[in-house]
Amino acid sequence: MIETTKTYRRDLTAGSFVRLEVTYDDTASTPTYIGYRDADGALTELNIHPLDLAALLDMLSHAPNP
């Protein structure tokens, strides 16, 4: 088992920020954890099955850039 965590942070106005933390485990069928902290500090957590994560990444890769 190899677990990898990556954190993305985007600074907003007045010292607030948005943070996305993703933890991936290379063991087959292990869900990927995604924690999202919004500008108000509220935390949303998801555990996504590998097939669902692959579908999500595919959708995002085909989405138009704003």
Side-chain angles (χ1 to χ4, degrees), residues 19-21 23 32-38 41-48:
R19 187 173 74 209
L20 182 67
E21 183 176 295
T23 301
T32 295
Y33 166 82
I34 299 176
Y36 170 77
R37 191 170 301 276
D38 65 19
L43 179 65
T44 302
E45 299 176 298
L46 305 168
N47 284 305
I48 299 180

Side-chain angles (χ1 to χ4, degrees), residues 6-19:
K6 301 269 184 175
T7 301
Y8 165 80
R9 176 180 162 143
R10 180 169 52 95
D11 292 324
L12 302 173
T13 59
S16 62
F17 61 89
V18 174
R19 187 173 74 209

Side-chain angles (χ1 to χ4, degrees), residues 23 26 29 35 51 56:
T23 301
D26 71 343
S29 297
L51 293 176
L56 174 61

